Amino acid sequence: MQENKYNTIVIVGQQFGDEGKGKIVDILAEESYMVVRFAGGPNAGHTLVVNGKKTVLRLIPSGILHKNTVCVMAQGMVIDPFVLRDELHALDEAGISYRGRLFISDAAHLIMPYHIQEDKDREASTSNPIGTTKKGIGPTYEDKVARRGIRLGDLRNLEKALNVADQTNINHYKALLGSREALNVYLTVARDIIVPFLADTSTLINDAVRAKKNVLFEGAQGTLLDIDHGTYPYVTSSSAVAGGACIGSGVGPTRINKVIGITKAYSTRVGEGPFETEFAGDIAHRIREAGNEYGSVTKRPRRVGWLDLPALKYAAQVNGLDGLAVTKLDTLSHAKMKRFWVRSEFDACGGKLNQPDLKLVDGWEEDLSQAKTLKDLPENTRRYLQMIEDEVGVPVVMVSVGADRAQTIPVGNIWSN
Ligand code: IMP
């Protein structure tokens, strides 16, 4: 592998998750020595299509499909052992070997059955739900921050893990597992699944960075779901922004060379919370169907909205973006719109939908799926990309026109310029 100008790149979602990060990471992973996931857990669902075959990964980094890429699940993550077991099983079935190249931080936290139950109970019992994925994410991070969580390294000493689980968790949730014996069984199974992969991942990553190997940090969720910078309280419980790559993996900020943000050509959101550009009706339905906008974890229909440029500008600022990848331009062709809306601070000419800052742009109906260069795109699609660059102030460095790896237009080499 030749030495590049940039060897550490962070990939982060600029909207509410589901921007198509998995596919972009998968492509960049080809030239990566290592791919690191640094936040979230099985609330994420990265759908990859390779040669027409679909794989959904929830915990394991998208780089795993490349047979030589080292994959790391770092300490910012929360891990459900049974989801991990299912993913490992799926990889076994697909003939993808991962032993010796999949490493999990011993400081990542363990999702327990009572975390999942608490997540579900809370969502069911409030009149104001967050619309979580009900995978136990929030309660697991709560226990982490309250300094009563179980770290994966604790599984090496089951007695210690058992004591933490036994003492710290309120009787109601303990009741779920019934007894210390049942907790013991759960932790024993978790140990057998997880311990073979445990490592001091912070050192592994820093060693790779020092050796100038290409390391890709794969964000989960999106900036507007970030615990500190998102639409609180309708957010997830971890750091989904670029800074989270440092916190969640133990690599210092001075070691990160580049940050690339991913945005869809329109917006979607799953779960509750504000969504300025949301709309319903026939066009939303068309976009949802054309873009298969259903949650990859929960299968919930995603809410649909126009591209929100001020929100994108905010996300670009919070993440310190160097470049933007714009995905799902093809979905807008399939939705067959002569013109459509974007939210914009500039040239506002709208007033429709009670939103004075919506402006109309020219649409396109051409099939983009075979486009190999920007020049192959219709003029209106190119204008749309130019408008995004101009208003966000960040260059577009990659464009996606279909689910397959091959349906991607690179704008220069991200590792070298
Ligand atoms: P939680 O992460 O399960 O606690 O859910 C909190 C909020 O984040 C909910 O609105 C979820 O729908 C949303 N969310 C969590 N993970 C993802 C994701 O990977 N894609 C999109 N939305 C997500």
Side-chain angles (χ1 to χ4, degrees):
M1 214 172 281
Q2 75 184 57
E3 196 166 297
N4 289 305
K5 189 164 164 199
Y6 303 102
N7 73 299
T8 47
I9 299 184
V10 179
I11 303 291
V12 268
Q14 299 304 285
Q15 300 169 304
F16 298 103
D18 308 317
E19 299 94 350
K21 295 178 291 295
K23 175 183 155 165
I24 306 294
V25 169
D26 176 51
I27 288 166
L28 294 176
E30 194 139 39
E31 286 190 55
S32 303
Y33 166 76
M34 181 183 272
V35 179
V36 181
R37 245 195 82 179
F38 55 84
N43 46 349
H46 292 165
T47 308
L48 306 169
V49 182
V50 185
N51 300 330
K53 192 178 171 308
K54 199 162 147 180
T55 307
V56 179
L57 295 170
R58 292 161 59 184
L59 284 170
I60 298 176
S62 307
I64 202 76
L65 300 189
H66 296 274
K67 66 179 188 328
N68 296 320
T69 306
V70 175
C71 287
V72 173
M73 293 156 63
Q75 49 271 70
M77 290 189 71
V78 290
I79 311 292
D80 180 326
F82 290 96
V83 174
L84 179 64
R85 188 188 61 184
D86 289 350
E87 280 181 35
L88 294 173
H89 187 66
L91 293 175
D92 285 333
E93 297 231 299
I96 296 167
S97 77
Y98 46 79
R99 295 203 188 273
R101 65 181 185 103
L102 177 64
F103 300 97
I104 307 179
S105 167
D106 43 22
H109 277 247
L110 183 66
I111 299 179
M112 294 291 287
Y114 44 76
H115 293 134
I116 299 173
Q117 192 60 39
E118 174 151 15
D119 199 357
K120 289 180 182 162
D121 288 352
R122 272 192 214 155
E123 288 287 286
S125 64
T126 171
S127 56
N128 213 2
I130 301 291
T132 71
T133 58
K134 302 196 180 103
K135 303 296 175 199
I137 306 299
T140 307
Y141 279 113
E142 281 168 40
D143 276 356
K144 165 179 163 169
V145 175
R147 298 166 292 194
R148 58 172 185 234
I150 300 174
R151 304 209 293 177
L152 302 184
D154 296 337
L155 292 171
R156 292 193 183 105
N157 175 350
L158 278 193
E159 191 64 22
K160 181 180 169 198
L162 197 54
N163 284 337
V164 177
D166 204 18
Q167 285 163 16
T168 56
N169 292 288
I170 333 135
N171 291 337
H172 171 63
Y173 298 106
K174 215 173 94 183
L176 183 77
L177 283 172
S179 62
R180 196 173 160 90
E181 287 69 45
L183 273 176
N184 198 11
V185 169
Y186 182 85
L187 291 171
T188 305
V189 174
R191 177 194 65 188
D192 293 347
I193 298 167
I194 291 173
V195 167
F197 298 99
L198 289 185
D200 170 5
T201 53
S202 180
T203 299
L204 276 182
I205 304 167
N206 278 290
D207 284 349
V209 171
R210 223 173 284 118
K212 293 262 176 236
K213 293 178 173 165
N214 289 355
V215 179
L216 196 63
F217 295 86
E218 172 180 9
Q221 290 82 44
T223 302
L224 303 179
L225 289 176
D226 179 272
I227 183 74
D228 293 294
H229 307 284
T231 54
Y232 192 90
Y234 298 96
V235 291
T236 189
S237 302
S238 63
S239 295
V241 296
C246 296
I247 295 166
S249 73
V251 171
T254 53
R255 298 297 177 264
I256 302 294
N257 297 151
K258 199 175 215 187
V259 181
I260 304 291
I262 319 289
T263 178
K264 273 199 267 230
Y266 50 94
S267 311
T268 61
R269 176 166 202 164
V270 263
E272 306 302 322
F275 187 7
E276 302 274 355
T277 61
E278 183 176 16
F279 62 95
D282 180 48
I283 297 179
H285 177 73
R286 269 166 27 210
I287 291 179
R288 187 175 300 115
E289 293 307 309
N292 190 24
E293 297 295 358
Y294 292 89
S296 51
V297 173
T298 59
K299 312 289 176 226
R300 289 177 289 180
R302 294 180 184 143
R303 298 156 68 191
V304 175
W306 303 119
L307 186 62
D308 186 337
L309 289 166
L312 200 51
K313 212 170 155 186
Y314 165 76
Q317 173 181 293
V318 167
N319 291 298
L321 285 197
D322 295 303
L324 255 182
V326 182
T327 62
K328 292 202 150 183
L329 281 163
D330 52 305
T331 301
L332 294 178
S333 311
H334 294 303
K336 301 226 174 291
M337 294 170 290
K338 292 234 170 324
R339 300 208 287 173
F340 58 85
W341 300 93
V342 290
R343 182 164 175 245
S344 164
E345 279 168 359
F346 308 107
D347 289 326
C349 62
K352 288 267 165 109
L353 310 174
N354 297 326
Q355 276 181 243
D357 47 1
L358 281 182
K359 79 170 178 183
L360 268 176
V361 296
D362 291 327
W364 58 88
E365 296 186 27
E366 292 91 337
D367 175 19
L368 311 183
S369 63
Q370 303 306 316
K372 297 282 175 256
T373 69
L374 288 182
K375 286 200 188 83
D376 299 335
L377 295 173
E379 194 184 334
N380 285 348
T381 317
R382 276 185 277 141
R383 272 212 207 119
Y384 191 60
L385 292 171
Q386 190 63 53
M387 175 196 69
I388 295 174
E389 271 196 14
D390 292 346
E391 294 213 7
V392 181
V394 172
V396 171
V397 293
M398 206 181 255
V399 172
S400 169
V401 290
D404 207 276
R405 257 186 206 167
Q407 293 170 313
T408 312
I409 304 174
V411 186
N413 183 331
I414 289 182
W415 293 107
S416 55
N417 53 31

